Amino acid sequence: MKNIYSNIFSFNKKILVKCIADLKKGNLVGLPTETVYGLAGNAYSKNAIKKIYNLKKRPKKNPLIVHYLNLDQANKDVVFNTNFYKLYDKFCPGPITFVLKKKKKSKIHSSVTAYLDTVAIRFPKHFVARSILKKLNFPLAMPSANLSSGVSPVNAYDVHDEFKKKIKIIVNGGKSKIGIESTVVSLIDKPKILRPGIVGANTINKILKISFNKKKDSKIRSPGMLKRHYSPGIPIILNQNKASKNCALITFGKRYKNKTNFFNLSKKSDLKEAAANLYKTFRKIKKRGFKKIYVVKIPNSGPGIAINDRLKRAAN
Ligand code: TXA
Ligand code: MG
């Protein structure tokens, strides 16, 4: 059978070598991470970064996250502080991104950070991303591998859906376990959550022994963070408990029956599982040709906060 996905590869030594060579040339590769799949390019190369913005059709004012293997690598580019060390020790490598001051001598191209003097950095846990970072002498700028304002990909085929053959290599590293993007926390001055994720504000509060001012923080956004985002391209209506004809209902919990237009995020009411299923469900519903998505109320605690953040933006 002809392989229609000629740019999707399983991870092995040969593909590792190819990825390294391509990244060194300033090309982009699609890589798995534990949160979502990323579109990776050399963070020190103006050319590679230009390709990322162009391919994603991303607004230039929306800065990218820079990915590192370890502290030694990141130390070249950003200024660490006490809060950073505390959170790094607890969660890294893992699904959390830190906004820190950029060092004057950093080689990160200014287009990566949308010409800000801060950098968002992350230490991914996925072994494919780590194996590649180990072999590079530059960090990887890596936004989610989807067209700007769309749904993040959670497997290699989703990445192919977004960019078709426009990327030469997409590494298949299985399904992204977490399934939503990393928590983004600014550690410049007083810590602030810029994007909720699976690492919750309460957990961060406990470690830093601070408390986020909810009202105030809700106004703070990442630069370039679009109000409409994570959108599957069909209307989404929140807090519903039924769906009209030709429409899908995203459900949660065991009280919802199996119906052909019902899509349960977690029958056992597990919010972590629901987060992992969210984007996959958006794509499935879109592919089946439904015209609209209704969503039941999702509890707004723990991972539910991140789910509701994505739902609200998708519905905007
Ligand atoms: O889980 C993730 O973080 C994934 C995987 C691939 O690592 N990446 C990801 O990247 O979600 P992206 O580009 O889709 O989202 C980056 C977010 C944006 O909301 C952006 O505004 C914010 O990080 N950001 C980047 N640099 C920033 C900075 N210097 N200050 C504040 N926010 C920043
Ligand atoms: Mg994104």
Side-chain angles (χ1 to χ4, degrees), residues 56 58 144 146 152 181 195 229-230:
K56 276 184 63 85
R58 182 179 178 108
S144 52
N146 54 279
S152 295
E181 306 79 1
R195 176 174 74 183
H229 212 139
Y230 315 116

Side-chain angles (χ1 to χ4, degrees), residues 177-214:
K177 285 208 178 89
I178 291 170
I180 56 168
E181 306 79 1
S182 61
T183 304
V184 178
V185 56
S186 168
L187 299 176
I188 310 274
D189 307 326
K190 193 170 166 277
K192 296 174 198 94
I193 305 263
L194 303 181
R195 176 174 74 183
I198 224 71
V199 175
N202 284 345
T203 321
I204 295 177
N205 281 345
K206 267 185 215 143
I207 292 162
L208 300 186
K209 300 190 175 67
I210 50 149
S211 76
F212 294 108
N213 180 340
K214 267 193 189 153

